[in-house]
Amino acid sequence: MSRLQVPHSRDPLPPVVTNTRMHSLPGDTPQTPEPRNTLGLANVLRTFGGRLRPGAPASSPSVAAVTTQSPPGGSGLLQRRQSQVGDGEDKDFLGGPVNNDQLYLQLKAGQPLSGRVAAAEAFRHIVEDYSLSSIMGIWAAAKDLTDSQLPMEARRAGFDLLTACIKHSEPTPLERRQFFEAISTPCHADDFHLQLNALVELTNHGKDLIAFETLIVPTLTQWLSLWFRESMRARQARKRDKMSFDISGEETNLASVFNFVTDVVKFNFKAFREEDVMQLLGEVLQICKKTTSSTDIHDSIVFIDAVITYGYIPRSSLQSCLEIFCGVYSRIKSFESETWNAVSNLCKSHVAQNTIAVLLDILQAPSGQHDVNTNIIRGAVYLLNKLLLANGDEGLPTVPFSTVMTALQKSMAVDSARVELDITHSICSIFGNDALVDVIVSEDWTMALDILVQCSRRTNETADGRPIDPRLSTPSLPASRGSKEDLRRMSTDLSQTLFQIISQLENLCARTDFTQKDTVIDFFIRLHGHLPNSCAELIINYYVEEHLCYPSNREWRTNSSHLVNVFLKDSTRPAALRLKIVDEMKEVYQTIRDMSPQEVLNAFLLTIFSDLSEEQNVQVLEALTEFAVDVAGDADEQLFSTIIDLILECFPADQLTSLGSVSGSVSGSVSGSASGSGSVSGPSTVSYQPPASQSSSSPGNVVTRGLVQIFIRSINTSADKAYRVYGELLRIAGSDACDADARLTAMRLLFRLRSDAGHAVLIAPSTGTPSLAAVLGRTSESMAKLQAAEESSQSRHSKIEDRNSNRLSRSASVGGTQTFVSRSVNRAGTASRSPKPPSNLWMHPDLGALPETPPIEASPLLFSYAFATSDDLTEPDMHQKRVLKTSVWLELIVSILQRGGDWEIYSYALVHLGSQLTNHSLFRSAIPCIKLLRNVICEKIRTSSFADPPSHSGLKKADVAVCLFHVLTMLVSYHESFSKSEQDDIVRAFMLGIGSWDRTAKCCIHGLSICCHELPLSITKSLNNILQKMSQIITQSHVAVHVLEFLSGLARMPDVYVNFTEADYRTVFGVCFRYLQYVRDQRSRELITPSARGSLASVRFSGTVRDSVSLEMASSPSVSDDLPQYVFSLTYHVIIFWFMSLKLADRAKHISWLTKGLVKIDADRDVIAEQSQVTIDMMQRVTYSDSDETSADPHFASESDGPVVKKSWLLGQSVITIETATGTGLSQVTKRQPSGTTHSILRIQTSPSPRHQVPSSSESALESTQNSRDEGSRVAILPSHILLQFMVPSSMMPESLRPIPLPDDDATARALSSFDLNSSVDGHKVGVIYIGEGQTTEQEILANVIGSSEYTAFVEGLGILTKLQGAKFNTQGLDKVSNSDGEFTFCWRDRVTEIVFHVTTMMPTNRAHDPQCSGKKRHTGNDFVNIIFNDSGLPFRFDTFPSAFNYVNIVITPESRASFIAMRTRSYDEANRQFYLVQVMSKPGFPEISPAADTKIVSGKSLPTFVRLLALNASVFSLVWCNRDGGEHVSSWRNRLREIERLRQKHMVVSSIPSPAFSANYMVAGDRSSVATTTSVGSATRDAAMRGEILSARRTSATTFLSEQSHRSSVITSGMEVDSGYNEDGVVDA
C-alpha cells in the first residue's frame, strides 16, 4: 500500500490592494530588484547588504501587487533606509524589497486581519525568494496568525509563513526549539496537515531532531491517538450514512502521522529511550487491536518493522507484537510479505529463540484455555511453518520437525475448522519441500499423518467436489461455527489440500530410498475416501503384488471384498482403475473356479455382480458384463439364471415387455391397423446421459451386447441357455421403453439369424441391403449428400429471410403493421429451421455390430423348424435341442412396422428385414406371420399410411416406400403360400408405386420383373395397366433403362403377354417411340442452346451424325455418356423383340406405322439413325417369315448346268450376289442385308426350243453349252438377266434407285468375304463358375469339375448343350478343333442375340500341369460377365477372381445353406422348388443398372431364365462401357450396314448427284465418312458447289423418301426402299 502524502497548497491568497494606484509610465524604471542573474543590479543589492537567494525568481506577481510605486526620477536601486513607521519602532531584519517596511508594519499584531493576511502571504514569497538577515522577527510578528480561533485564511497564511521561515535558512537550536514549540501548539483540526508539514520541514523528514529530541515522542504519541480516534469516528459516520468510500481527511492525517513517525524511528531510534519506544509501540499496538482499516494495519506493521530493523523490540512487548503479527498474517493475506519480513527480522535478531518460543506457546495454549483467538493460532501455524521451511537459510534459526508437529497437534484442541485447514496447509507445504523432506525423512511421521487423518474428518467430499461415500470416509466431526458458505469453502479447500498431500506422498513412495513407505501406505488405507486415482491404484497394485486376494492369503475373501466394495463399486473412480480390479477378480476366479466349493464361488461372484444394475460407467459395465458372460458359459443352471436376472435388472422393471404382449399386438386384422400408424420419432429419450468422456452406449446396450455374446457362445454348446437368451433379446427388441441402442443391439443379432437347409440355426456375419441404407442416408456417402443438401437448403432459406427482412424493413416506414409482419416473418423463419439432428445409432456397413465373430457352422442344437413330433425324439434329444419361435420374432417386426415409433428402430427394420426374409428355411414355421406381414405392407402401401421419416433426417416418405417395396419384393418368393387374390394384391401394390411416389418407380419395376417369373398370371391380369403406367414415366431418365429392360425381358415370356391385343402392342411400341423422341428433343435442345453445349456433356447416341462443332463440344466418355447410349440401343432392341413377338399374320399390320415412326423421329434432322435403319431392315426381313437364316450351297449347280457366273450389285441397303449356271440358268441368289443374309435357289423353267428356232448369236453361250446339251435345248443366261426379272426398266427407274454393279475383282471378293465374317446376331460370352462348400481361393474354385444337382439343373436351363468340335458359329474363343476347352458347352440364341457360356466345370482340369487353372482363367478372366453359383456358404467377394475385364459378377446363392452331401442327393425337382438369392455385383465405378443390383430371390424354376436375361443385359452394357474411351460400341448389324455403305461410296458414279431421297436414305448417322457421298472415291475435300447442293438436299425431309413413287417388281429390296406404294400390309407385292 503506497504511503499517503500530506497535501500542501502553495496557491497564494488574493493580493492586498493598497490606496496607491500603480501606473506604468513610459520611461519609468522598475522599483523591485532584478533577479540575481542580472549582473549590475545584483552587485548593487550586495552593496546594500540585501541579497537574493540563489536561483530565486526576480519577482512575483504577489509581491508586485503589494509594492508601491517609486517616486519619479529615482535611480531604481535598493537602498538601506530607516524610516519611521507608526509607533516609531525599527524593523528586526534586513533585506528584501523596498516596501518591506510597510509590509512589516502591516504584519504586526493589532493591524487589520485582512491586511495582516496579505502581508503574511507577501512575506512568504519574500522569504522564499530573498535572503534576509533575521527571520525570527518576521515570524514573531505573525505567529499569532496560527491561532485556532482565527479564520482559515489567516491560519493558512500563518502556517505557510512558518513553513517558509523554517525553510529559509538553517535555524539555530534555539530557533529550532522555538519553531517546534510553535508547531506542537494545538491547532485547528483543519490545519493539521499544515502543522505536520511544518514539522516535516523542521526535522528534514524526520532526520533531524536537534533541540527537541525528548519532546517529540509525546507529541507524536498524542497525534497518533488523536487522529486514530478521529479516523474511527469518520469511518463510523461513513458507514452509518452509507456514503461512498472516499478517504477522509482524518484518515489522511493518520496515515501522514504514521509515515512521519516511521521516518523518525528510522533515523533517530538511538536517540530514544526504551520508555519512549514502548510508549510509541503501545500506542501502535492498541491501534492494531482496535482498528478496522487495513491501511492502519499496514502502517503499523511498517512502523514495527522499522523498530525491529533500526532498533529492537523490548522483551515486554515481544509477545504482543508477535500476536499482532500472527493475527495480521492469518487475517490479511495481502500483508503476508510485510508481516513475514518483520518476523524474519525478529528471528534474525538477538531475540530469535524467544520469538520461536513465543510462537510455540501460542500453539500450545489452547489445550489449557477455553477462549482463544483462533486467528493468532492460525498465524502462529503459518509463521512456524515458514521458519520450518526456511530450514536455517538466510540466517533464520532451525525449528525441529517433531517440536512443530507436537505443537500443531496440541493446537487442534481449539476445535476450529479454520485452524485445522491451516495446519493441513502447513503439513502440505512441508511434504512439498524436497530439501526439507530429505532432512526429516528419518524422523517419525506418524504424528503428522495422524493430524491429517484427524483433520480429514472436517470434510466429506473429495478434491473435485464429489461426495465421499460414508462407508469410505472416517467419521466426521460436528459442524464448526460459521456460515454454510464458509464451511463449504473450507471443506473444499481441505479436500484439495489433502489431495495435494496424498499426491506428494505418492511421489515420495516412488523413490527407492524412501523409508516411510509402510507408514504412508497405512495412512492411504486410513484415508482411502480421499485418495486420488493414482493412490488408489497404488494400493490396488500393492494388493495385487502381494497376492492379498488369492486363497494363499488367509483373509483373501475379506481383501477381495474390500477391493470390490471400496474401489470397484465406487462409481467416482475412473474406469481404468476399476477395470484393473475387474481383471484381478477375473484372475482370482480362474484360480478358485476348480478348487473352491460352489457356495463359496457363488458368494464371491455375487459380491462382484450384486450392484451390476447400479453401474453407470459404460466401460466398467462392459468389463463386468464380459466377466458375467465368461461366468455364464461355465455356470450351472442356477447360477446362469441368477446372472441373467442380474443382467436384466439393468433395465427398469417397466421397460421389458412379455412375449405375449408382443404377439397380441399383431394378432388382429390388418385393416384396423392401417389408420393407427403413420408416424415415427427420433431416437427415444432415455434417462441415461453418459459423461462426455464415455462411449455413447447406454447401460442397457452394454448388457444387451453381453446377452448377444452369451447367445453366440451358447448356440453350439447349450440349447437351454441360448433359448433363454433368445427370449430375453426378443423382449428387449420389442420394448419401446428400452434404450434405442439396446434394442438395436438385440435386433442386430435377431436380423442375422438364418437357418440352413436342415433348419439348423446359424448367424450370418452380415446382413442388410446397402442400397436401402443409402436411401435412408445410412451410408457415409449418402449421409454426406443429405448434409450438403440440408446446408444448401438452410443457406437458401437464410438468403430468403434476409431478402424478406430487408424488404419489410424498407417498408416499415409506412406504418406499424409492416414492422409486425417483419417480426412475424422472422419468427416463422426461425421456427421453421429444424434443430440439429441427433447422431445416427446405426450405419451401413455396420462394423462391429456383433460383439464377437459368430461361428460359421450351423448350430447342432437350435432349429427353426421341427421335422418330427416329440414322440419321435429320444429323451436326450428333447433336452439338448430346442426350436426357436421365429414366428414371435416376425410378429415383433410386424408390430414395429404397424406402430412406427423410434426412427432408428423403424429404419433398421426396413433395411434389414428383406434380406432375412430371403431365408425361407428360417420362417418355415411362421407362414401365418408371413401372410400377415404381406397384408400389412400391401395395406400400408394402398392407403399410404406408412410412417413419415422425422424432419431432421432430410428424408421423404418416398424413401420409406422404397424400403417397403423392397420387402414386398422379397415376399414374392412366398407366393405359394398366398392365395391368388393376395398375389394380385402384390402386383397391384407394385403398380401403384410406379407413379405414386418419387423414386419408387425403379424398385417397383424391378419387383414386377420378379413377378413376371414368379407370378405370371397376376402380371398377365394387370399387364395393360402396368404398360400404361410405364408409358407415363418413360421420359424420366433415371427409370427409362429399367422400363426398357422390363419390356425386353417381358418380350421373351409369351405366356405372360398371351392376352395381348393390338392396342397393347401399340402401347409397347409407343413407349419406345416416346423415349426415342424425348431423347432426340433433348439432343436438339442441347445442340441449339450454346449454354447447354458449354455446360452439359454431349450425349452419345448410336447412329447420329456429328458435325465438327458437336465433336469439339463432346466431353470425354463417362458413365453419364455411356448409359444413354446403352438405353438408346436397348430401345431399338425392344422394338425388334416385340415386333418378332407378334404373330406372323399380324406383323404386316404394324410395319407401316412402325417404319414411319422410326423415320419420323429423325425427320427433323434429315438423317436417319443407323439403329432405325437396321431396325427397319430387320422388320422387313421377318414381316412374312419366321424362318431361320439360310446357308449358301457351294455345289448348287452341277457340271451339266454349265459354268457358274457370279455378279454382285448394290441395291438399296443390301448387296445382291447372283451366281448363275449359264447353261440352265440355275441361280443362287445371296442377299446380304444389315440384319441378315438370305440364300435362295432360283431355277428358270425353260421348255425345249422349237426346232425351227434360230440359234442364239452369243458365241460364248453356245460354246459353254454345246457339249452338254443338244441343239434343241441350248440356252445362255447371265446373272444380270436374273436381276432384271425383278426390276423395272432402268429408263423408268430413278437414278438413285438403280443397282450399282460391283466389279468382279479381288477387292470386291475380299469386301464381301469380310462382310460375311460379321455375324447376323450379336454374340456374347458369359462365364459360369461353381464355388463348392467352403471354397474361397481362385485356384480351388476353378479346379471344380462338377457341381451340385442344383447347379447342374441351373446350367442346363441356361441354354442348349452344344458340341464344340466343328461348330459353325462363333464359340467366343472356345476351341472347336481339338476340344482343348472341353467337348461341349451350353449356348443360347434367338433371332437377335447369341450367348456362349464358358462353363468352367465343363472345361478340362489338370492340376498337375496347370495348378493355377490358367486354361479356364483365360476365358472367364476375359469375360465381361460371369455367373457365380456360390455353394460355399460364405459371402462372395468380388476380388476373388482378379481381372481387368470382369465388370459384372452375377452371384447365385441358395437361400438356405446345405451340406455338400445334401446338395448331391437333392433331385432336380427339389432343386426347382428351392429359392436362390441373385445379386449383380459390379466392379467399382461400374454403373448399377440391373434389377438385381439389390439382392433378389428367385425360384429354381425361374432362375435360369432370369439370370440369362441379367447376363445378356449386363454383357450389352459392358460392351458399351468397355468402348467408352475408344468410341461407341457398334453392333454387328450396324457394322454390316457400314460395310455396305463403304462399298456404295467406293463404286457409285462420280458424276451422279444423288436425289434428295437418295441423300436422305444413305447419309447414315454415325458413319463419319457418309457425309462425303457426293464425292469421288477417296476424295479428301468437298467441292463448294457440291456441298451447297447436298445441304439443299438435306433440307428435304427424310419422309420424302417414303412418299416418292418407285416401280419395283422385286421383294429383294432394301429396307429403306419403302414408299407410298405400300398397301395395308406394308410391303409391295411382287
Side-chain angles (χ1 to χ4, degrees), residues 218-238:
T219 300
L220 297 178
T221 304
Q222 183 182 4
W223 283 0
L224 285 172
S225 177
L226 169 65
W227 289 111
F228 175 69
R229 292 195 304 271
E230 295 301 324
S231 297
M232 291 295 290
R233 293 191 185 99
R235 292 164 185 162
Q236 292 173 358
R238 184 169 58 214

Side-chain angles (χ1 to χ4, degrees), residues 344-398:
S344 63
N345 288 335
L346 267 178
C347 292
K348 296 174 184 178
S349 68
H350 65 285
V351 293
Q353 295 303 322
N354 294 343
T355 301
I356 295 174
V358 170
L359 292 175
L360 291 174
D361 289 341
I362 293 174
L363 292 181
Q364 295 174 0
S367 61
Q369 298 179 11
H370 298 287
D371 188 14
V372 294
N373 190 335
T374 57
N375 288 328
I376 296 176
I377 297 176
R378 295 173 61 204
V381 171
Y382 284 126
L383 294 175
L384 280 173
N385 180 66
K386 294 280 284 186
L387 290 173
L388 187 61
L389 293 176
N391 196 23
D393 293 340
E394 299 179 358
L396 294 174
T398 59

Side-chain angles (χ1 to χ4, degrees), residues 118 121 144 307 343 350 389 423 521 560 619 690 724 737 782 800 806 840 849 894 1136 1193 1248 1270 1350 1363 1379 1601 1609:
E121 184 64 24
D144 61 324
V307 172
V343 174
H350 65 285
L389 293 176
I423 292 174
I521 290 293
S560 299
Q619 293 180 341
R724 165 75 190 276
S782 61
I800 293 173
N806 294 335
N840 295 330
V894 174
I1136 293 171
D1193 184 5
D1270 56 20
E1350 297 172 344
K1363 189 175 182 179
N1379 292 333
F1601 169 72
S1609 60

